[in-house]
Amino acid sequence: MKKTIKIIGLALTIGFVLAGCSAGSAKSDKNEVVKLGVVGANNEVLESVKERLKEDKIDLQLVEFSDYTQPNAALAEKEIDLNSFQHQIFLDNYNAEHKTDLISIGNTVSAPLGIYSSKIKDVKELKNGDEIAIPNDTTNGGRALLLLQSAGLIKVDPAKKQTPTVNDVTENKLNLKITELDASQTARALQDIDASVINSGMAVDAGFVPVKDAIFLEPVDKTSKPYVNIIVARKEDEDNKTYNKVVDTYQQEATKKVIEETSKGSSIPAWETFGRK
């Protein structure tokens, strides 16, 4: 009887070991899921990255948000693992306002801001009292005002550097009415106003080709570094190998080709100009 019990016990032990090995094998064959937050519906570039990451057993899942206020909160709350929608100034401002510690782990593209209109073909055609919409968040709003200054339409207080507000406009010869709207609304407002400053991604979503359709496009030079779009993680995940593999896969020649095709040359691979991060 004791011998029978020992045999049964040995069989059960072997069964548990085999079951454990089987479970381990199944787990190793399963792709690691990485949830990456994006804003907007046109994500062909990241879809191409997602496809190539399958070779490394990484399942990149794109989580779409409707505006710029959501992805950083979701990342800080660990609802997603990464996000890719913002530039460094926007991130710095968000961290300061919300006491978070989110960081850039990789550069993606430089996407120039543009002025668009359905009524005129050149900023020189703007008339006295015309209305222009700009994004209402601190960083994109400040960037938009600097763009209007570059276009020769206004002047802003240089002491405010990269984040002036409408209260810092020191010269407005055309008495332009500057209306602040959520960044996701500036393209939709075109039918009701004379011109809008639209973020590149939002412009593409609205069917524009920035280098072709903008009546004035932001210059890209060494001063553009703070506006380079980035992949963002929580500080604790800065050295996460899987997340950095996402960056490595993004910063490849194959991605560059998709960027050129989908943006019609409007977006520039930032890692080639400004480095990895």
Side-chain angles (χ1 to χ4, degrees):
M1 183 67 177
K2 289 183 179 179
K3 186 175 182 180
T4 302
I5 292 172
K6 287 181 179 179
I7 292 172
I8 293 172
L10 178 61
L12 288 171
T13 301
I14 293 172
F16 283 131
V17 170
L18 290 176
C21 290
S22 176
S25 298
K27 185 176 181 180
S28 64
D29 289 339
K30 189 174 181 181
N31 288 359
E32 183 174 358
V33 174
V34 177
K35 295 182 178 181
L36 184 146
V38 297
V39 176
N42 291 322
N43 296 298
E44 292 95 335
V45 175
L46 285 166
E47 289 288 353
S48 77
V49 174
K50 174 180 178 176
E51 191 64 29
R52 283 176 277 130
L53 280 169
K54 291 178 181 178
E55 298 176 7
D56 299 292
K57 295 189 178 300
I58 297 173
D59 179 12
L60 185 67
Q61 297 182 357
L62 304 185
V63 181
E64 292 185 8
F65 295 93
S66 60
D67 62 58
Y68 293 151
T69 65
Q70 303 172 62
N72 279 334
L75 180 58
E77 294 297 322
K78 300 187 177 181
E79 296 171 4
I80 57 176
D81 305 302
L82 303 169
N83 68 43
S84 180
F85 75 98
Q86 65 193 314
H87 48 62
Q88 190 64 52
I89 294 180
F90 188 95
L91 177 62
D92 290 344
N93 187 68
Y94 183 88
N95 280 331
E97 288 185 354
H98 296 85
K99 311 302 180 186
T100 48
D101 197 12
L102 307 178
I103 63 165
S104 167
I105 61 171
N107 291 325
T108 57
V109 297
S110 179
L113 203 61
I115 304 173
Y116 298 80
S117 176
S118 59
K119 298 179 180 179
I120 60 174
K121 300 296 183 181
D122 194 293
V123 290
K124 294 179 181 178
E125 297 175 37
L126 285 167
K127 305 182 300 298
N128 191 72
D130 278 352
E131 183 177 6
I132 298 181
I134 67 170
N136 64 0
D137 61 273
T138 302
T139 53
N140 283 305
R143 184 183 181 187
L145 291 170
L146 292 174
L147 178 65
L148 296 180
Q149 179 172 258
S150 296
L153 298 173
I154 63 171
K155 288 184 180 179
V156 298
D157 184 354
K160 299 301 179 178
K161 298 182 179 179
Q162 291 169 315
T163 54
T165 69
V166 290
N167 293 325
D168 300 313
V169 174
T170 57
E171 185 178 297
N172 183 359
K173 291 183 178 179
L174 288 177
N175 298 306
L176 298 171
K177 180 182 177 182
I178 300 174
T179 301
E180 297 175 283
L181 301 174
D182 186 276
S184 63
Q185 300 298 316
T186 57
R188 298 176 188 176
L190 277 177
Q191 60 184 344
D192 300 315
I193 60 177
D194 302 292
S196 281
V197 176
I198 308 174
N199 293 70
S200 182
M202 299 293 184
V204 172
D205 280 353
F208 294 114
V209 178
V211 291
K212 177 183 176 182
D213 297 321
I215 62 173
F216 189 85
L217 202 60
E218 184 179 50
V220 177
D221 52 33
K222 62 182 181 180
T223 64
S224 305
K225 178 66 168 72
Y227 300 120
V228 167
N229 287 356
I230 51 182
I231 294 175
V232 175
R234 293 178 290 274
K235 175 65 176 176
E236 65 202 63
D237 295 323
E238 181 175 11
D239 298 318
N240 183 292
K241 291 183 179 179
T242 300
Y243 300 168
N244 278 280
K245 183 62 180 177
V246 173
V247 174
D248 292 338
T249 304
Y250 191 106
Q251 295 177 347
Q252 291 180 357
E253 187 67 22
T255 311
K256 178 181 176 181
K257 291 179 180 178
V258 181
I259 291 170
E260 291 173 347
E261 291 170 2
T262 57
S263 73
K264 304 295 191 295
S266 299
S267 293
I268 301 166
W271 66 91
E272 292 191 337
T273 303
F274 300 104
R276 178 182 172 84
K277 65 178 181 178

